[in-house]
PDB file of all heavy atoms in Angstrom:
ATOM      1  N   GLN A1212    -145.087 -83.664-101.534  1.00 67.00           N
ATOM      2  CA  GLN A1212    -146.184 -83.416-102.452  1.00 67.00           C
ATOM      3  C   GLN A1212    -146.134 -81.978-102.939  1.00 67.00           C
ATOM      4  O   GLN A1212    -145.646 -81.089-102.257  1.00 67.00           O
ATOM      5  CB  GLN A1212    -147.493 -83.621-101.716  1.00 67.00           C
ATOM      6  CG  GLN A1212    -147.377 -83.066-100.293  1.00 67.00           C
ATOM      7  CD  GLN A1212    -148.666 -83.105 -99.531  1.00 67.00           C
ATOM      8  OE1 GLN A1212    -149.302 -82.089 -99.386  1.00 67.00           O
ATOM      9  NE2 GLN A1212    -149.036 -84.274 -99.079  1.00 67.00           N
ATOM     10  N   ASP A1222    -155.392 -67.253-102.223  1.00 97.00           N
ATOM     11  CA  ASP A1222    -154.630 -66.575-101.180  1.00 97.00           C
ATOM     12  C   ASP A1222    -154.661 -65.076-101.460  1.00 97.00           C
ATOM     13  O   ASP A1222    -154.720 -64.657-102.613  1.00 97.00           O
ATOM     14  CB  ASP A1222    -153.166 -67.044-101.212  1.00 97.00           C
ATOM     15  CG  ASP A1222    -152.998 -68.500-100.816  1.00 97.00           C
ATOM     16  OD1 ASP A1222    -153.654 -68.936 -99.850  1.00 97.00           O
ATOM     17  OD2 ASP A1222    -152.203 -69.213-101.469  1.00 97.00           O
ATOM     18  N   PHE A1223    -154.574 -64.287-100.386  1.00 97.00           N
ATOM     19  CA  PHE A1223    -154.358 -62.861-100.549  1.00 97.00           C
ATOM     20  C   PHE A1223    -152.992 -62.535 -99.984  1.00 97.00           C
ATOM     21  O   PHE A1223    -152.802 -62.534 -98.768  1.00 97.00           O
ATOM     22  CB  PHE A1223    -155.444 -62.061 -99.827  1.00 97.00           C
ATOM     23  CG  PHE A1223    -156.822 -62.263-100.396  1.00 97.00           C
ATOM     24  CD1 PHE A1223    -157.756 -63.046 -99.739  1.00 97.00           C
ATOM     25  CD2 PHE A1223    -157.168 -61.681-101.604  1.00 97.00           C
ATOM     26  CE1 PHE A1223    -159.016 -63.240-100.266  1.00 97.00           C
ATOM     27  CE2 PHE A1223    -158.436 -61.874-102.143  1.00 97.00           C
ATOM     28  CZ  PHE A1223    -159.363 -62.656-101.469  1.00 97.00           C
ATOM     29  N   ASN A1232    -157.467 -54.084 -97.533  1.00 96.00           N
ATOM     30  CA  ASN A1232    -157.623 -53.381 -96.260  1.00 96.00           C
ATOM     31  C   ASN A1232    -157.956 -51.906 -96.471  1.00 96.00           C
ATOM     32  O   ASN A1232    -158.676 -51.312 -95.669  1.00 96.00           O
ATOM     33  CB  ASN A1232    -156.359 -53.525 -95.411  1.00 96.00           C
ATOM     34  CG  ASN A1232    -156.262 -54.903 -94.778  1.00 96.00           C
ATOM     35  OD1 ASN A1232    -157.262 -55.611 -94.635  1.00 96.00           O
ATOM     36  ND2 ASN A1232    -155.062 -55.304 -94.406  1.00 96.00           N
ATOM     37  N   ARG A1243    -168.809 -47.164 -88.583  1.00 95.00           N
ATOM     38  CA  ARG A1243    -168.695 -46.722 -87.191  1.00 95.00           C
ATOM     39  C   ARG A1243    -169.110 -45.266 -87.031  1.00 95.00           C
ATOM     40  O   ARG A1243    -169.732 -44.904 -86.031  1.00 95.00           O
ATOM     41  CB  ARG A1243    -167.266 -46.932 -86.691  1.00 95.00           C
ATOM     42  CG  ARG A1243    -166.977 -48.411 -86.495  1.00 95.00           C
ATOM     43  CD  ARG A1243    -165.633 -48.654 -85.819  1.00 95.00           C
ATOM     44  NE  ARG A1243    -165.408 -50.092 -85.740  1.00 95.00           N
ATOM     45  CZ  ARG A1243    -164.305 -50.716 -86.149  1.00 95.00           C
ATOM     46  NH1 ARG A1243    -163.300 -50.023 -86.649  1.00 95.00           N
ATOM     47  NH2 ARG A1243    -164.208 -52.024 -86.043  1.00 95.00           N
ATOM     48  N   PHE A1245    -171.363 -43.893 -88.508  1.00 95.00           N
ATOM     49  CA  PHE A1245    -172.827 -43.883 -88.537  1.00 95.00           C
ATOM     50  C   PHE A1245    -173.438 -44.693 -87.388  1.00 95.00           C
ATOM     51  O   PHE A1245    -174.642 -44.908 -87.347  1.00 95.00           O
ATOM     52  CB  PHE A1245    -173.324 -44.415 -89.889  1.00 95.00           C
ATOM     53  CG  PHE A1245    -173.270 -43.380 -90.990  1.00 95.00           C
ATOM     54  CD1 PHE A1245    -172.056 -42.993 -91.534  1.00 95.00           C
ATOM     55  CD2 PHE A1245    -174.427 -42.782 -91.477  1.00 95.00           C
ATOM     56  CE1 PHE A1245    -171.995 -42.031 -92.532  1.00 95.00           C
ATOM     57  CE2 PHE A1245    -174.364 -41.822 -92.473  1.00 95.00           C
ATOM     58  CZ  PHE A1245    -173.153 -41.444 -93.008  1.00 95.00           C
ATOM     59  N   GLY A1246    -172.614 -45.150 -86.470  1.00 94.00           N
ATOM     60  CA  GLY A1246    -173.141 -45.818 -85.281  1.00 94.00           C
ATOM     61  C   GLY A1246    -173.430 -47.299 -85.430  1.00 94.00           C
ATOM     62  O   GLY A1246    -174.124 -47.872 -84.591  1.00 94.00           O
ATOM     63  N   GLN A1249    -169.980 -53.837 -84.724  1.00 97.00           N
ATOM     64  CA  GLN A1249    -169.553 -55.057 -85.422  1.00 97.00           C
ATOM     65  C   GLN A1249    -170.075 -56.337 -84.754  1.00 97.00           C
ATOM     66  O   GLN A1249    -170.149 -56.438 -83.531  1.00 97.00           O
ATOM     67  CB  GLN A1249    -168.025 -55.098 -85.496  1.00 97.00           C
ATOM     68  CG  GLN A1249    -167.506 -56.119 -86.503  1.00 97.00           C
ATOM     69  CD  GLN A1249    -166.028 -55.961 -86.797  1.00 97.00           C
ATOM     70  OE1 GLN A1249    -165.336 -55.170 -86.165  1.00 97.00           O
ATOM     71  NE2 GLN A1249    -165.542 -56.731 -87.762  1.00 97.00           N
ATOM     72  N   GLU A1251    -169.520 -60.688 -85.225  1.00 98.00           N
ATOM     73  CA  GLU A1251    -168.939 -61.822 -85.945  1.00 98.00           C
ATOM     74  C   GLU A1251    -169.626 -63.098 -85.485  1.00 98.00           C
ATOM     75  O   GLU A1251    -169.855 -63.294 -84.289  1.00 98.00           O
ATOM     76  CB  GLU A1251    -167.420 -61.930 -85.730  1.00 98.00           C
ATOM     77  CG  GLU A1251    -166.637 -60.919 -86.542  1.00 98.00           C
ATOM     78  CD  GLU A1251    -165.123 -61.185 -86.583  1.00 98.00           C
ATOM     79  OE1 GLU A1251    -164.682 -62.217 -86.039  1.00 98.00           O
ATOM     80  OE2 GLU A1251    -164.399 -60.366 -87.161  1.00 98.00           O
ATOM     81  N   SER A1259    -179.546 -77.230 -89.722  1.00 95.00           N
ATOM     82  CA  SER A1259    -180.946 -76.858 -89.491  1.00 95.00           C
ATOM     83  C   SER A1259    -181.131 -75.339 -89.571  1.00 95.00           C
ATOM     84  O   SER A1259    -182.203 -74.858 -89.930  1.00 95.00           O
ATOM     85  CB  SER A1259    -181.398 -77.359 -88.117  1.00 95.00           C
ATOM     86  OG  SER A1259    -180.542 -76.846 -87.114  1.00 95.00           O
ATOM     87  N   LYS A1275    -171.112 -78.733 -96.698  1.00 97.00           N
ATOM     88  CA  LYS A1275    -171.482 -79.470 -95.484  1.00 97.00           C
ATOM     89  C   LYS A1275    -170.229 -80.040 -94.832  1.00 97.00           C
ATOM     90  O   LYS A1275    -169.305 -80.471 -95.520  1.00 97.00           O
ATOM     91  CB  LYS A1275    -172.436 -80.614 -95.821  1.00 97.00           C
ATOM     92  CG  LYS A1275    -173.853 -80.165 -96.173  1.00 97.00           C
ATOM     93  CD  LYS A1275    -174.051 -80.118 -97.666  1.00 97.00           C
ATOM     94  CE  LYS A1275    -175.463 -79.672 -98.040  1.00 97.00           C
ATOM     95  NZ  LYS A1275    -175.571 -79.495 -99.533  1.00 97.00           N
ATOM     96  N   LEU A1277    -168.493 -82.866 -92.526  1.00 97.00           N
ATOM     97  CA  LEU A1277    -168.635 -84.244 -92.071  1.00 97.00           C
ATOM     98  C   LEU A1277    -168.589 -84.291 -90.539  1.00 97.00           C
ATOM     99  O   LEU A1277    -167.745 -83.640 -89.933  1.00 97.00           O
ATOM    100  CB  LEU A1277    -167.466 -85.040 -92.654  1.00 97.00           C
ATOM    101  CG  LEU A1277    -167.651 -86.497 -93.018  1.00 97.00           C
ATOM    102  CD1 LEU A1277    -168.866 -86.723 -93.899  1.00 97.00           C
ATOM    103  CD2 LEU A1277    -166.397 -86.997 -93.727  1.00 97.00           C
ATOM    104  N   ARG A1317    -180.318 -65.385 -86.996  1.00 97.00           N
ATOM    105  CA  ARG A1317    -180.172 -66.328 -85.884  1.00 97.00           C
ATOM    106  C   ARG A1317    -179.667 -65.625 -84.628  1.00 97.00           C
ATOM    107  O   ARG A1317    -180.174 -65.837 -83.516  1.00 97.00           O
ATOM    108  CB  ARG A1317    -179.209 -67.460 -86.277  1.00 97.00           C
ATOM    109  CG  ARG A1317    -178.944 -68.423 -85.118  1.00 97.00           C
ATOM    110  CD  ARG A1317    -177.762 -69.330 -85.310  1.00 97.00           C
ATOM    111  NE  ARG A1317    -176.522 -68.674 -85.636  1.00 97.00           N
ATOM    112  CZ  ARG A1317    -175.827 -67.866 -84.827  1.00 97.00           C
ATOM    113  NH1 ARG A1317    -176.270 -67.569 -83.607  1.00 97.00           N
ATOM    114  NH2 ARG A1317    -174.698 -67.320 -85.232  1.00 97.00           N
ATOM    115  N   SER A1364    -188.217 -46.415 -89.495  1.00 95.00           N
ATOM    116  CA  SER A1364    -187.885 -45.037 -89.850  1.00 95.00           C
ATOM    117  C   SER A1364    -187.134 -44.973 -91.174  1.00 95.00           C
ATOM    118  O   SER A1364    -186.184 -45.723 -91.415  1.00 95.00           O
ATOM    119  CB  SER A1364    -187.023 -44.420 -88.744  1.00 95.00           C
ATOM    120  OG  SER A1364    -186.528 -43.170 -89.164  1.00 95.00           O
ATOM    121  N   GLU A1370    -179.595 -43.019 -94.412  1.00 95.00           N
ATOM    122  CA  GLU A1370    -178.223 -43.295 -93.976  1.00 95.00           C
ATOM    123  C   GLU A1370    -177.512 -44.246 -94.932  1.00 95.00           C
ATOM    124  O   GLU A1370    -176.302 -44.161 -95.107  1.00 95.00           O
ATOM    125  CB  GLU A1370    -178.233 -43.840 -92.546  1.00 95.00           C
ATOM    126  CG  GLU A1370    -178.797 -42.795 -91.584  1.00 95.00           C
ATOM    127  CD  GLU A1370    -178.197 -42.847 -90.189  1.00 95.00           C
ATOM    128  OE1 GLU A1370    -178.037 -43.956 -89.665  1.00 95.00           O
ATOM    129  OE2 GLU A1370    -177.880 -41.774 -89.655  1.00 95.00           O
ATOM    130  N   ARG A1597    -138.725 -46.450 -84.614  1.00 94.00           N
ATOM    131  CA  ARG A1597    -139.953 -47.104 -84.171  1.00 94.00           C
ATOM    132  C   ARG A1597    -140.584 -46.378 -82.992  1.00 94.00           C
ATOM    133  O   ARG A1597    -141.803 -46.354 -82.857  1.00 94.00           O
ATOM    134  CB  ARG A1597    -139.671 -48.560 -83.826  1.00 94.00           C
ATOM    135  CG  ARG A1597    -139.428 -49.379 -85.078  1.00 94.00           C
ATOM    136  CD  ARG A1597    -139.374 -50.851 -84.764  1.00 94.00           C
ATOM    137  NE  ARG A1597    -139.064 -51.627 -85.946  1.00 94.00           N
ATOM    138  CZ  ARG A1597    -138.388 -52.776 -85.924  1.00 94.00           C
ATOM    139  NH1 ARG A1597    -137.940 -53.244 -84.775  1.00 94.00           N
ATOM    140  NH2 ARG A1597    -138.189 -53.446 -87.036  1.00 94.00           N
ATOM    141  N   SER A1602    -142.785 -47.036 -89.348  1.00 95.00           N
ATOM    142  CA  SER A1602    -142.643 -48.451 -89.682  1.00 95.00           C
ATOM    143  C   SER A1602    -141.300 -48.658 -90.373  1.00 95.00           C
ATOM    144  O   SER A1602    -141.057 -48.105 -91.434  1.00 95.00           O
ATOM    145  CB  SER A1602    -143.807 -48.861 -90.573  1.00 95.00           C
ATOM    146  OG  SER A1602    -143.621 -50.161 -91.032  1.00 95.00           O
ATOM    147  N   PRO A1607    -131.704 -57.874 -92.180  1.00 94.00           N
ATOM    148  CA  PRO A1607    -131.286 -58.792 -91.119  1.00 94.00           C
ATOM    149  C   PRO A1607    -129.903 -59.400 -91.289  1.00 94.00           C
ATOM    150  O   PRO A1607    -129.282 -59.784 -90.301  1.00 94.00           O
ATOM    151  CB  PRO A1607    -132.355 -59.881 -91.147  1.00 94.00           C
ATOM    152  CG  PRO A1607    -132.950 -59.825 -92.503  1.00 94.00           C
ATOM    153  CD  PRO A1607    -132.827 -58.416 -92.972  1.00 94.00           C
ATOM    154  N   LYS A1622    -140.216 -54.779-101.864  1.00 91.00           N
ATOM    155  CA  LYS A1622    -141.240 -54.628-100.830  1.00 91.00           C
ATOM    156  C   LYS A1622    -141.891 -53.243-100.887  1.00 91.00           C
ATOM    157  O   LYS A1622    -142.670 -52.878-100.014  1.00 91.00           O
ATOM    158  CB  LYS A1622    -140.575 -54.862 -99.452  1.00 91.00           C
ATOM    159  CG  LYS A1622    -141.509 -55.470 -98.423  1.00 91.00           C
ATOM    160  CD  LYS A1622    -140.793 -55.908 -97.154  1.00 91.00           C
ATOM    161  CE  LYS A1622    -141.782 -56.068 -96.011  1.00 91.00           C
ATOM    162  NZ  LYS A1622    -141.182 -56.605 -94.800  1.00 91.00           N
TER     163      LYS A1622
ATOM    164  N   GLN B1274    -188.331 -72.956 -86.170  1.00 68.00           N
ATOM    165  CA  GLN B1274    -187.385 -73.711 -85.356  1.00 68.00           C
ATOM    166  C   GLN B1274    -186.682 -72.773 -84.396  1.00 68.00           C
ATOM    167  O   GLN B1274    -186.519 -71.596 -84.653  1.00 68.00           O
ATOM    168  CB  GLN B1274    -186.347 -74.331 -86.276  1.00 68.00           C
ATOM    169  CG  GLN B1274    -185.981 -73.350 -87.387  1.00 68.00           C
ATOM    170  CD  GLN B1274    -184.868 -73.846 -88.242  1.00 68.00           C
ATOM    171  OE1 GLN B1274    -183.737 -73.444 -88.054  1.00 68.00           O
ATOM    172  NE2 GLN B1274    -185.180 -74.722 -89.161  1.00 68.00           N
ATOM    173  N   ASP B1284    -170.771 -66.589 -80.954  1.00 97.00           N
ATOM    174  CA  ASP B1284    -170.899 -65.295 -81.616  1.00 97.00           C
ATOM    175  C   ASP B1284    -170.076 -64.283 -80.841  1.00 97.00           C
ATOM    176  O   ASP B1284    -169.918 -64.387 -79.628  1.00 97.00           O
ATOM    177  CB  ASP B1284    -172.363 -64.834 -81.594  1.00 97.00           C
ATOM    178  CG  ASP B1284    -173.273 -65.708 -82.443  1.00 97.00           C
ATOM    179  OD1 ASP B1284    -172.863 -66.057 -83.565  1.00 97.00           O
ATOM    180  OD2 ASP B1284    -174.394 -66.019 -81.993  1.00 97.00           O
ATOM    181  N   PHE B1285    -169.578 -63.264 -81.555  1.00 97.00           N
ATOM    182  CA  PHE B1285    -168.973 -62.111 -80.893  1.00 97.00           C
ATOM    183  C   PHE B1285    -169.853 -60.906 -81.153  1.00 97.00           C
ATOM    184  O   PHE B1285    -169.885 -60.389 -82.275  1.00 97.00           O
ATOM    185  CB  PHE B1285    -167.559 -61.856 -81.405  1.00 97.00           C
ATOM    186  CG  PHE B1285    -166.602 -62.975 -81.099  1.00 97.00           C
ATOM    187  CD1 PHE B1285    -166.190 -63.848 -82.089  1.00 97.00           C
ATOM    188  CD2 PHE B1285    -166.138 -63.164 -79.803  1.00 97.00           C
ATOM    189  CE1 PHE B1285    -165.319 -64.891 -81.803  1.00 97.00           C
ATOM    190  CE2 PHE B1285    -165.261 -64.194 -79.514  1.00 97.00           C
ATOM    191  CZ  PHE B1285    -164.853 -65.071 -80.510  1.00 97.00           C
ATOM    192  N   ASN B1294    -161.204 -56.166 -80.982  1.00 96.00           N
ATOM    193  CA  ASN B1294    -160.540 -55.283 -81.934  1.00 96.00           C
ATOM    194  C   ASN B1294    -159.470 -54.429 -81.260  1.00 96.00           C
ATOM    195  O   ASN B1294    -158.464 -54.092 -81.887  1.00 96.00           O
ATOM    196  CB  ASN B1294    -161.568 -54.389 -82.648  1.00 96.00           C
ATOM    197  CG  ASN B1294    -162.345 -55.161 -83.705  1.00 96.00           C
ATOM    198  OD1 ASN B1294    -161.893 -56.193 -84.191  1.00 96.00           O
ATOM    199  ND2 ASN B1294    -163.523 -54.677 -84.051  1.00 96.00           N
ATOM    200  N   ARG B1305    -147.024 -54.163 -88.143  1.00 95.00           N
ATOM    201  CA  ARG B1305    -146.717 -53.273 -89.282  1.00 95.00           C
ATOM    202  C   ARG B1305    -145.552 -52.352 -88.962  1.00 95.00           C
ATOM    203  O   ARG B1305    -144.727 -52.073 -89.838  1.00 95.00           O
ATOM    204  CB  ARG B1305    -147.966 -52.468 -89.654  1.00 95.00           C
ATOM    205  CG  ARG B1305    -148.999 -53.354 -90.309  1.00 95.00           C
ATOM    206  CD  ARG B1305    -150.170 -52.563 -90.879  1.00 95.00           C
ATOM    207  NE  ARG B1305    -151.133 -53.503 -91.438  1.00 95.00           N
ATOM    208  CZ  ARG B1305    -152.426 -53.502 -91.159  1.00 95.00           C
ATOM    209  NH1 ARG B1305    -152.934 -52.581 -90.361  1.00 95.00           N
ATOM    210  NH2 ARG B1305    -153.220 -54.413 -91.700  1.00 95.00           N
ATOM    211  N   PHE B1307    -143.093 -53.108 -87.364  1.00 95.00           N
ATOM    212  CA  PHE B1307    -141.884 -53.915 -87.499  1.00 95.00           C
ATOM    213  C   PHE B1307    -141.700 -54.470 -88.920  1.00 95.00           C
ATOM    214  O   PHE B1307    -140.831 -55.294 -89.146  1.00 95.00           O
ATOM    215  CB  PHE B1307    -141.911 -55.066 -86.476  1.00 95.00           C
ATOM    216  CG  PHE B1307    -141.504 -54.631 -85.086  1.00 95.00           C
ATOM    217  CD1 PHE B1307    -142.337 -53.837 -84.315  1.00 95.00           C
ATOM    218  CD2 PHE B1307    -140.269 -54.993 -84.550  1.00 95.00           C
ATOM    219  CE1 PHE B1307    -141.968 -53.418 -83.040  1.00 95.00           C
ATOM    220  CE2 PHE B1307    -139.892 -54.585 -83.267  1.00 95.00           C
ATOM    221  CZ  PHE B1307    -140.744 -53.799 -82.516  1.00 95.00           C
ATOM    222  N   GLY B1308    -142.543 -54.029 -89.848  1.00 94.00           N
ATOM    223  CA  GLY B1308    -142.341 -54.405 -91.246  1.00 94.00           C
ATOM    224  C   GLY B1308    -142.950 -55.735 -91.652  1.00 94.00           C
ATOM    225  O   GLY B1308    -142.600 -56.271 -92.705  1.00 94.00           O
ATOM    226  N   GLN B1311    -149.348 -58.504 -94.202  1.00 96.00           N
ATOM    227  CA  GLN B1311    -150.452 -59.421 -93.931  1.00 96.00           C
ATOM    228  C   GLN B1311    -150.665 -60.437 -95.056  1.00 96.00           C
ATOM    229  O   GLN B1311    -150.520 -60.135 -96.229  1.00 96.00           O
ATOM    230  CB  GLN B1311    -151.739 -58.624 -93.709  1.00 96.00           C
ATOM    231  CG  GLN B1311    -152.843 -59.457 -93.065  1.00 96.00           C
ATOM    232  CD  GLN B1311    -154.009 -58.623 -92.569  1.00 96.00           C
ATOM    233  OE1 GLN B1311    -154.058 -57.404 -92.797  1.00 96.00           O
ATOM    234  NE2 GLN B1311    -154.949 -59.253 -91.891  1.00 96.00           N
ATOM    235  N   GLU B1313    -153.605 -63.589 -96.065  1.00 98.00           N
ATOM    236  CA  GLU B1313    -154.794 -64.379 -95.722  1.00 98.00           C
ATOM    237  C   GLU B1313    -154.889 -65.557 -96.670  1.00 98.00           C
ATOM    238  O   GLU B1313    -154.672 -65.412 -97.872  1.00 98.00           O
ATOM    239  CB  GLU B1313    -156.079 -63.528 -95.800  1.00 98.00           C
ATOM    240  CG  GLU B1313    -156.259 -62.619 -94.591  1.00 98.00           C
ATOM    241  CD  GLU B1313    -157.647 -61.991 -94.477  1.00 98.00           C
ATOM    242  OE1 GLU B1313    -158.541 -62.330 -95.290  1.00 98.00           O
ATOM    243  OE2 GLU B1313    -157.836 -61.166 -93.586  1.00 98.00           O
ATOM    244  N   SER B1321    -155.061 -83.212 -98.720  1.00 95.00           N
ATOM    245  CA  SER B1321    -153.671 -83.628 -98.965  1.00 95.00           C
ATOM    246  C   SER B1321    -152.687 -82.622 -98.377  1.00 95.00           C
ATOM    247  O   SER B1321    -151.570 -82.973 -98.008  1.00 95.00           O
ATOM    248  CB  SER B1321    -153.432 -83.796-100.470  1.00 95.00           C
ATOM    249  OG  SER B1321    -153.730 -82.578-101.132  1.00 95.00           O
ATOM    250  N   LYS B1337    -163.603 -82.075 -91.821  1.00 97.00           N
ATOM    251  CA  LYS B1337    -163.579 -82.412 -93.236  1.00 97.00           C
ATOM    252  C   LYS B1337    -164.856 -81.919 -93.911  1.00 97.00           C
ATOM    253  O   LYS B1337    -165.938 -81.977 -93.314  1.00 97.00           O
ATOM    254  CB  LYS B1337    -163.463 -83.927 -93.432  1.00 97.00           C
ATOM    255  CG  LYS B1337    -162.098 -84.500 -93.098  1.00 97.00           C
ATOM    256  CD  LYS B1337    -162.063 -85.100 -91.717  1.00 97.00           C
ATOM    257  CE  LYS B1337    -160.696 -85.689 -91.369  1.00 97.00           C
ATOM    258  NZ  LYS B1337    -160.654 -86.122 -89.945  1.00 97.00           N
ATOM    259  N   LEU B1339    -167.625 -82.279 -96.845  1.00 97.00           N
ATOM    260  CA  LEU B1339    -168.214 -83.249 -97.754  1.00 97.00           C
ATOM    261  C   LEU B1339    -168.115 -82.733 -99.190  1.00 97.00           C
ATOM    262  O   LEU B1339    -168.381 -81.556 -99.445  1.00 97.00           O
ATOM    263  CB  LEU B1339    -169.682 -83.411 -97.346  1.00 97.00           C
ATOM    264  CG  LEU B1339    -170.373 -84.742 -97.530  1.00 97.00           C
ATOM    265  CD1 LEU B1339    -169.593 -85.886 -96.922  1.00 97.00           C
ATOM    266  CD2 LEU B1339    -171.774 -84.660 -96.916  1.00 97.00           C
ATOM    267  N   ARG B1379    -147.527 -73.753 -97.261  1.00 97.00           N
ATOM    268  CA  ARG B1379    -148.051 -74.000 -98.611  1.00 97.00           C
ATOM    269  C   ARG B1379    -147.935 -72.760 -99.479  1.00 97.00           C
ATOM    270  O   ARG B1379    -147.508 -72.802-100.638  1.00 97.00           O
ATOM    271  CB  ARG B1379    -149.518 -74.453 -98.535  1.00 97.00           C
ATOM    272  CG  ARG B1379    -150.142 -74.636 -99.919  1.00 97.00           C
ATOM    273  CD  ARG B1379    -151.650 -74.723 -99.922  1.00 97.00           C
ATOM    274  NE  ARG B1379    -152.336 -73.654 -99.239  1.00 97.00           N
ATOM    275  CZ  ARG B1379    -152.382 -72.378 -99.626  1.00 97.00           C
ATOM    276  NH1 ARG B1379    -151.734 -71.985-100.713  1.00 97.00           N
ATOM    277  NH2 ARG B1379    -153.055 -71.498 -98.922  1.00 97.00           N
ATOM    278  N   SER B1426    -130.738 -64.750 -89.186  1.00 95.00           N
ATOM    279  CA  SER B1426    -130.285 -63.646 -88.334  1.00 95.00           C
ATOM    280  C   SER B1426    -131.014 -63.642 -86.999  1.00 95.00           C
ATOM    281  O   SER B1426    -132.243 -63.753 -86.946  1.00 95.00           O
ATOM    282  CB  SER B1426    -130.523 -62.315 -89.052  1.00 95.00           C
ATOM    283  OG  SER B1426    -130.278 -61.246 -88.166  1.00 95.00           O
ATOM    284  N   GLU B1432    -136.480 -59.074 -82.477  1.00 95.00           N
ATOM    285  CA  GLU B1432    -137.711 -58.369 -82.827  1.00 95.00           C
ATOM    286  C   GLU B1432    -138.939 -59.018 -82.188  1.00 95.00           C
ATOM    287  O   GLU B1432    -139.908 -58.341 -81.855  1.00 95.00           O
ATOM    288  CB  GLU B1432    -137.844 -58.288 -84.349  1.00 95.00           C
ATOM    289  CG  GLU B1432    -136.693 -57.477 -84.935  1.00 95.00           C
ATOM    290  CD  GLU B1432    -137.068 -56.683 -86.166  1.00 95.00           C
ATOM    291  OE1 GLU B1432    -137.736 -57.254 -87.037  1.00 95.00           O
ATOM    292  OE2 GLU B1432    -136.685 -55.501 -86.241  1.00 95.00           O
ATOM    293  N   ARG B1659    -170.920 -35.513 -88.263  1.00 94.00           N
ATOM    294  CA  ARG B1659    -170.220 -36.528 -89.045  1.00 94.00           C
ATOM    295  C   ARG B1659    -169.176 -35.923 -89.960  1.00 94.00           C
ATOM    296  O   ARG B1659    -168.138 -36.539 -90.214  1.00 94.00           O
ATOM    297  CB  ARG B1659    -171.237 -37.351 -89.841  1.00 94.00           C
ATOM    298  CG  ARG B1659    -172.026 -38.275 -88.942  1.00 94.00           C
ATOM    299  CD  ARG B1659    -172.890 -39.218 -89.735  1.00 94.00           C
ATOM    300  NE  ARG B1659    -173.704 -40.066 -88.867  1.00 94.00           N
ATOM    301  CZ  ARG B1659    -174.890 -40.544 -89.211  1.00 94.00           C
ATOM    302  NH1 ARG B1659    -175.398 -40.264 -90.390  1.00 94.00           N
ATOM    303  NH2 ARG B1659    -175.558 -41.319 -88.381  1.00 94.00           N
ATOM    304  N   SER B1664    -168.431 -39.877 -84.521  1.00 95.00           N
ATOM    305  CA  SER B1664    -169.378 -40.972 -84.697  1.00 95.00           C
ATOM    306  C   SER B1664    -170.673 -40.611 -83.976  1.00 95.00           C
ATOM    307  O   SER B1664    -170.683 -40.413 -82.764  1.00 95.00           O
ATOM    308  CB  SER B1664    -168.754 -42.240 -84.135  1.00 95.00           C
ATOM    309  OG  SER B1664    -169.690 -43.273 -84.139  1.00 95.00           O
ATOM    310  N   PRO B1669    -183.921 -42.834 -84.414  1.00 94.00           N
ATOM    311  CA  PRO B1669    -184.658 -42.917 -85.681  1.00 94.00           C
ATOM    312  C   PRO B1669    -186.165 -42.655 -85.580  1.00 94.00           C
ATOM    313  O   PRO B1669    -186.774 -42.262 -86.570  1.00 94.00           O
ATOM    314  CB  PRO B1669    -184.394 -44.344 -86.161  1.00 94.00           C
ATOM    315  CG  PRO B1669    -184.026 -45.107 -84.935  1.00 94.00           C
ATOM    316  CD  PRO B1669    -183.379 -44.137 -84.005  1.00 94.00           C
ATOM    317  N   LYS B1684    -176.257 -48.627 -75.287  1.00 91.00           N
ATOM    318  CA  LYS B1684    -175.215 -48.708 -76.320  1.00 91.00           C
ATOM    319  C   LYS B1684    -173.919 -48.058 -75.842  1.00 91.00           C
ATOM    320  O   LYS B1684    -172.985 -47.886 -76.616  1.00 91.00           O
ATOM    321  CB  LYS B1684    -175.738 -48.045 -77.599  1.00 91.00           C
ATOM    322  CG  LYS B1684    -175.198 -48.655 -78.880  1.00 91.00           C
ATOM    323  CD  LYS B1684    -175.906 -48.154 -80.118  1.00 91.00           C
ATOM    324  CE  LYS B1684    -175.034 -48.441 -81.356  1.00 91.00           C
ATOM    325  NZ  LYS B1684    -175.700 -48.059 -82.604  1.00 91.00           N
TER     326      LYS B1684
END
Side-chain angles (χ1 to χ4, degrees):
Chain A
Q1212 39 174 257
D1222 293 318
F1223 296 105
N1232 284 339
R1243 288 188 183 129
F1245 280 73
Q1249 195 168 7
E1251 283 192 4
S1259 56
K1275 287 99 180 174
L1277 212 51
R1317 176 195 53 67
S1364 171
E1370 297 212 317
R1597 288 189 183 149
S1602 173
K1622 211 170 161 175
Chain B
Q1274 39 174 260
D1284 293 317
F1285 296 105
N1294 284 338
R1305 289 188 182 129
F1307 280 72
Q1311 195 168 6
E1313 282 193 5
S1321 57
K1337 288 98 180 173
L1339 212 52
R1379 176 195 52 68
S1426 171
E1432 297 213 315
R1659 288 188 183 150
S1664 173
K1684 212 170 162 176

